[in-house]
């Protein structure tokens, strides 16, 4: 059955954080923010929100404005753009619900595989290779029916469009709702072929991925990666 998102519960939004989000330089429209906030509000009282690509924290602060007090917000960002840093982002967000992890999804596999996110935003490397890798790693740690938001699903970013369309065509992601360049998907299948190099394997990922390290992560990180 298709999941639908409830209307925004304005009474549950922190207006101060929302106003601060609006003043942060970034790429999220207010319509996109509203959709992301509805996704977070749909995830219950103790949601875990994972954001891949925060820049100066605009989308992150919108997410925080809709986040229940008991929720957790996990940021992964390689900080490859000029003029921003983990320290600045920490000061901007200044919220105990937030943890910031510098690096890529591959570098931060241990963080990802132990957080079991209810809602994820992917807004980092917009190349086909980059977003496909982020999607594969994120889907491996997101429960069935968890929500994945992808930003910049537009003709300006053919790599993003192609990657999400490919996963939708195989029934891995199903569309929930979109606005402007933000699309929300529900995870419907978690096939191991997303990350497992053995072609004969057609099982799904285990519920808990914290004990496994995908081959692509092990090879990229080298001997420092924990063995399953
Ligand atoms: C488009 S910006 C994110 C915008 C942000 N969501 C907002 O609302 O303003 C992309 C961010 O992803 C980071 N980034 C780029 N490539 C990355 C990668 N491979 N892994 C993690 N972060 C990456 C950049 O440092 C930048 O902060």
């Amino acid at each position: 059955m298709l999941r639908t998102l409830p209307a925004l519960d304005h009474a549950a939004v922190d207006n101060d954080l929302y106003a601060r989000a609006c003043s942060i330089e970034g790429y999220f429209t207010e319509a996109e923010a509203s959709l992301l906030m509805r996704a977070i509000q749909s995830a219950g009282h103790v949601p875990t929100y994972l954001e891949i690509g925060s820049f100066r924290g605009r989308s992150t602060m919108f997410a925080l404005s809709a986040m229940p007090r008991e929720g957790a917000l996990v940021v992964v960002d390689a900080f490859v753009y000029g003029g921003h840093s983990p320290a600045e982002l920490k000061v901007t967000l200044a919220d105990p619900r937030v943890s910031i992890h510098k690096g890529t999804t591959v570098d931060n596999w241990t963080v990802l595989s132990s957080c079991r996110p209810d809602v994820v935003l992917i807004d980092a490397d917009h190349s086909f290779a980059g977003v496909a890798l982020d999607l594969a790693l994120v889907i491996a740690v997101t429960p069935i029916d968890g929500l994945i938001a992808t930003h910049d699903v537009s003709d300006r970013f053919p790599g993003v469009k192609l990657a999400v369309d490919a996963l939708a065509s195989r029934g891995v992601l199903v569309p929930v709702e979109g606005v402007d360049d933000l699309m929300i998907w529900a995870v419907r299948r978690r096939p191991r072929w997303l990350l497992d190099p053995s072609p004969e394997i057609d099982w799904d990922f285990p519920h808990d991925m914290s004990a496994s390290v995908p081959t692509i992560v092990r090879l990229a990180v080298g001997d420092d990666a924990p063995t399953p």
Side-chain angles (χ1 to χ4, degrees):
M1 198 174 67
L2 263 189
R3 177 165 174 180
T4 54
L5 298 177
L8 188 67
D9 178 358
H10 289 275
V13 173
D14 184 320
N15 291 325
D16 177 46
L17 293 182
Y18 186 88
R20 283 166 59 194
C22 290
S23 70
I24 297 173
E25 175 195 358
Y27 303 93
F28 246 59
T29 66
E30 286 193 57
E32 291 170 337
S34 173
L35 180 57
L36 183 67
M37 290 159 65
R38 288 167 56 210
I40 291 169
Q41 286 187 341
S42 78
H45 296 298
V46 193
T48 295
Y49 168 75
L50 169 65
E51 186 169 281
I52 317 294
S54 299
F55 187 40
R56 297 196 190 284
R58 183 175 169 91
S59 49
T60 333
M61 192 71 98
F62 280 128
L64 266 179
S65 76
M67 177 70 68
R69 200 188 309 269
E70 307 300 326
L73 198 156
V74 180
V75 166
V76 170
D77 194 303
F79 295 91
V80 294
Y81 291 3
H84 72 137
S85 67
E88 279 172 285
L89 186 58
K90 191 173 177 203
V91 169
T92 300
L93 298 171
D95 194 298
R97 294 169 291 182
V98 178
S99 61
I100 300 172
H101 306 272
K102 184 176 182 188
T104 65
T105 47
V106 169
D107 299 330
N108 285 289
W109 171 253
T110 306
V111 171
L112 256 62
S113 63
S114 57
C115 83
R116 292 198 58 77
D118 302 287
V119 181
V120 184
L121 169 65
I122 298 180
D123 188 15
D125 181 335
H126 292 59
S127 68
F128 176 79
V131 77
L133 181 57
D134 286 345
L135 278 163
L137 291 170
V138 157
I139 290 167
V141 303
T142 304
I144 294 288
D145 285 338
L147 298 176
I148 297 182
T150 51
H151 198 226
D152 297 315
V153 183
S154 78
D155 292 336
R156 285 183 62 222
F157 296 97
V160 176
K161 217 161 182 277
L162 190 57
V164 293
D165 285 350
L167 292 170
S169 75
R170 298 302 293 251
V172 174
L173 297 178
V174 295
V176 174
E177 195 173 327
V179 67
D180 295 344
D181 291 344
L182 186 75
M183 190 71 211
I184 306 254
W185 310 86
V187 174
R188 276 298 142 73
R189 296 181 54 216
R190 307 168 67 249
R192 285 178 84 127
W193 52 253
L194 285 171
L195 289 172
D196 201 314
S198 309
E200 69 274 15
I201 290 182
D202 194 26
W203 312 323
D204 287 351
F205 290 120
H207 179 71
D208 179 355
M209 290 292 284
S210 59
S212 57
V213 181
T215 304
I216 199 164
V217 172
R218 189 155 39 235
L219 292 177
V221 177
D223 291 335
D224 292 340
T227 44

